């Protein structure tokens, strides 16, 4: 049973280019979360998605960032026109569906994508 | 506004002794708390959790204590082992009060634990 898979592990982009980060959740998981970790900081929530739906994007920057989780295929975090401040580790996590009252939030994390903007 | 705080950036402990990592939170809506362990260049790994209806949860060498009135939780590792050396993150969620965003975690800044042989 493969864990959460993220690719690429490392991504280098020049300022102004686009970055696409992919996340395949664990088998049977239909909830995906994206987090960003800036140097010397903890992880910060960005967005929560279910298949074909954005549930909570309260942590997403207003511009240049978007996320999707299509019916088929991985979840994608897209950053347009990257700037140096976007350099960070981006982590994806997934959790299974279930009744809210019984649901725990031990989300399983991928190994992350380290984005470097030069 | 840092809703979850880990005030100790680092902790150094001798092998075999107890490691105590602390975490404070400010948001009274949080009702579920988790500890994650993270090695460099890897994703966080879930360690242990506790619901707000409990004040203690134990799993092997790991015990988490929750003091709701003080909005404080701690992770005890006994006995500490060199392999425990990593960054430890405290996280919190509002499972029932957060509506559909129950899975959204708010993390502390992390504490670097070093266990010396």
């Amino acid at each position: 049973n493969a864990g959460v898979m993220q690719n690429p592990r490392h991504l280098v982009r020049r300022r102004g280019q686009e970055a696409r980060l992919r996340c395949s959740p664990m088998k049977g998981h239909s909830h995906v979360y994206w987090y960003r970790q800036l140097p010397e900081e903890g992880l910060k929530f960005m967005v929560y998605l279910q298949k074909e739906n954005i549930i909570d994007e309260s942590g997403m920057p207003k511009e240049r960032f978007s996320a999707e989780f299509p019916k088929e295929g991985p979840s994608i975090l897209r950053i347009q026109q990257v700037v140096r401040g976007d350099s960070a580790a981006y982590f994806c996590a997934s959790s299974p569906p279930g009744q809210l009252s019984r649901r725990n939030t031990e989300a399983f994390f991928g190994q992350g994508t380290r984005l470097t903007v030069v | 506004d840092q809703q979850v705080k880990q005030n100790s950036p680092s902790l150094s402990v001798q092998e075999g002794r107890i490691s105590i990592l602390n975490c404070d939170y400010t948001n009274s809506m949080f009702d579920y708390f988790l500890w994650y362990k993270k090695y460099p260049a890897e994703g966080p790994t879930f360690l242990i959790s506790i619901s707000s209806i409990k004040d203690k949860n134990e799993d092997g060498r790991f015990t988490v204590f929750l003091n709701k009135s003080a909005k404080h939780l701690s992770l005890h590792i006994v006995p500490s082992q060199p392999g425990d050396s990593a960054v430890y993150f405290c996280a919190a969620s509002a499972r029932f009060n957060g509506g559909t965003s129950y899975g959204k975690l708010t993390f502390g800044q992390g504490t670097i634990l070093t266990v010396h042989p």
Side-chain angles (χ1 to χ4, degrees), chain A residues 9 31 33 35 37 42-45 48 55-56 58 91 100-101 103-107 109-111 114, chain B residues 2 32 34 36 38 41-44 46 49 89 93 95-96 99-105 107-109:
Chain A
R9 290 291 308 276
H31 301 256
Y33 313 85
Y35 292 82
Q37 184 182 23
L43 284 76
K44 297 279 195 282
F45 169 81
Y48 163 36
I55 307 301
D56 182 344
S58 58
F91 292 97
L100 178 62
S101 62
R103 198 178 288 138
N104 293 324
T105 54
E106 294 91 357
F109 282 81
Q111 292 189 302
R114 274 141 193 88
Chain B
Q2 191 73 25
Y32 198 71
L34 309 89
Y36 281 84
K38 186 179 180 304
E42 293 187 12
F46 169 74
S49 62
F89 288 100
S93 74
R95 279 189 307 172
F96 302 113
T100 56
S101 294
Y102 68 94
K104 172 182 173 181
L105 298 177
F107 282 84
Q109 311 95 306

Side-chain angles (χ1 to χ4, degrees), chain B residues 14-55:
Chain B
Q14 203 68 30
E15 181 179 7
R17 307 293 288 268
I18 184 172
S19 295
I20 300 176
L21 296 102
N22 294 302
C23 178
D24 298 293
Y25 63 96
T26 58
N27 190 341
S28 57
M29 301 282 274
F30 290 144
D31 54 15
Y32 198 71
F33 304 89
L34 309 89
W35 284 93
Y36 281 84
K37 175 180 178 181
K38 186 179 180 304
Y39 293 115
E42 293 187 12
T45 303
F46 169 74
L47 267 180
I48 192 168
S49 62
I50 187 167
S51 165
S52 59
I53 62 173
K54 296 185 176 181
D55 54 19

